[in-house]
Amino acid sequence: MAGLSPMMQQYLQIKDQYQDCILFFRLGDFYEMFFEDAQLASRELELTLTGKNCGLDERAPMCGVPYHSSEGYIKRLIEKGYKVAICEQAEDPANAKALVRREVVRVVTPGTLTESNMLDEGKNNFLASVYCKGEEAGICFADISTGAAYVWGAQGALGDDGMIEAFTRYQPAEILYNREMADRTAVWKYLQEELHCLGDLLEESDFAPDQTGIASQFGDAAKLLSTRPLAAAALSGLLRYLARTRKDGAARLGSLQLDAAEQYMGLDP
């Protein structure tokens, strides 16, 4: 970062923590994007690409959108399969002694939307979480716009057809998964080609079962997972992901229900 201006150093330090997102960096009344993010956003949103002095010989590519009308732009990026990290000014610029402190307050993803103008009022917006181990799998779904979470009821071995049945029923906008799930090529083909679902590969540690956290979140309903360790792992991964992407994400979930797959007639996708 040698030679970069202090503000650009701050931008790149924050961007380094959110490399899989387009960073909306608050500058006054605008969210600005720089470097590769600016080039991508200018193309996808049809924005004018300009430049900003950044301390280097060449100006940094730059584009931006007004913060008061940013939701429409964010929605378009989400619909195109991108994530957006919202970086706000964490102090009043008038009171800042030097560079204004900034921090990411939310990561907007397809499965974590709650804004009514970004959602289809006629359907749920589910975030799915899948933890596979050998032939077995635990699956859960959550719609944070309604506060409801569901555990897929099938236990034991779960083949590709069984997994596709679950996704057909809930049609998630986004799926969290572990590395073993990545081997389910037929399932992934269905998710990408039929549901156009965004996938997020989480670390194995994200799926470490957190029975205490689940019990704290859902009370007696957490007992549904007492004999479903893989489902508990999937739900733990989902709760940790929500905690990272939005500060109130996990707190929005208030109910946990068992969706017993055997109660429903299977449908051909």
Side-chain angles (χ1 to χ4, degrees):
M1 293 187 184
L4 285 171
S5 64
M7 192 196 76
M8 278 299 164
Q9 291 183 36
Q10 182 189 53
Y11 169 84
L12 290 176
Q13 287 170 351
I14 296 173
K15 172 64 181 177
D16 187 57
Q17 301 174 53
Y18 298 91
Q19 295 184 28
D20 62 340
C21 302
I22 297 174
L23 182 62
F24 272 38
F25 190 78
R26 183 71 177 272
L27 282 177
D29 292 335
F30 284 80
Y31 287 121
E32 302 288 2
M33 288 147 278
F34 300 100
F35 300 108
E36 292 86 354
D37 280 2
Q39 293 170 335
L40 187 155
S42 68
R43 181 178 69 251
E44 297 288 8
L45 299 175
E46 299 179 340
L47 300 174
T48 300
L49 186 66
T50 60
K52 182 177 181 61
N53 292 329
C54 61
L56 302 178
D57 293 338
E58 295 185 3
R59 290 159 60 87
M62 168 184 170
C63 69
V65 300
Y67 85 94
H68 57 79
S69 60
S70 62
E71 286 189 353
Y73 294 102
I74 293 171
K75 180 181 179 181
R76 287 167 62 187
L77 289 172
I78 296 302
E79 289 174 344
K80 290 175 179 288
Y82 298 104
K83 299 180 183 180
V84 176
I86 307 297
C87 181
E88 294 286 2
Q89 295 174 166
E91 60 181 332
D92 187 337
N95 298 328
K97 296 181 180 180
L99 188 64
V100 176
R101 183 167 56 85
R102 293 178 173 85
E103 62 183 36
V104 170
V105 297
R106 182 182 170 194
V107 177
V108 187
T109 73
T112 61
L113 296 175
T114 55
E115 293 81 359
S116 59
N117 63 336
M118 292 190 190
L119 294 170
D120 183 344
E121 293 184 0
K123 60 182 294 187
N124 287 95
N125 188 60
F126 283 111
L127 171 67
S129 182
V130 183
Y131 185 77
C132 291
K133 189 172 184 181
E135 296 299 318
E136 298 185 355
I139 310 178
C140 64
F141 300 89
D143 183 347
I144 64 171
S145 68
T146 64
Y150 302 87
V151 177
W152 188 246
Q155 300 183 72
L158 187 61
D160 291 351
D161 289 344
M163 199 171 283
I164 288 174
E165 179 186 348
F167 294 136
T168 300
R169 177 167 169 76
Y170 284 90
Q171 299 190 25
E174 182 178 1
I175 177 173
L176 315 174
Y177 65 97
N178 68 329
R179 291 193 180 278
E180 287 197 45
M181 170 61 186
D183 296 331
R184 301 283 189 115
T185 55
V187 178
W188 278 113
K189 182 178 180 181
Y190 174 73
L191 288 169
Q192 294 169 352
E193 296 183 2
E194 300 297 330
L195 299 186
H196 309 290
C197 184
L198 176 69
D200 299 283
L201 174 63
L202 302 188
E203 297 294 334
E204 194 69 18
S205 58
D206 287 322
F207 290 104
D210 181 10
Q211 298 289 1
T212 301
I214 293 173
S216 174
Q217 186 73 34
F218 299 107
D220 289 342
K223 295 176 181 177
L224 294 172
L225 303 178
S226 60
T227 59
R228 295 175 170 83
L230 299 188
L235 184 57
S236 297
L238 187 146
L239 293 176
R240 290 187 178 101
Y241 182 77
L242 288 178
R244 288 199 298 267
T245 54
R246 51 182 303 158
K247 294 180 179 179
D248 65 343
R252 284 177 170 269
L253 295 179
S255 67
L256 178 65
Q257 302 173 48
L258 176 64
D259 185 352
E262 62 271 13
Q263 293 180 3
Y264 301 96
M265 179 183 295
L267 299 177
D268 187 330

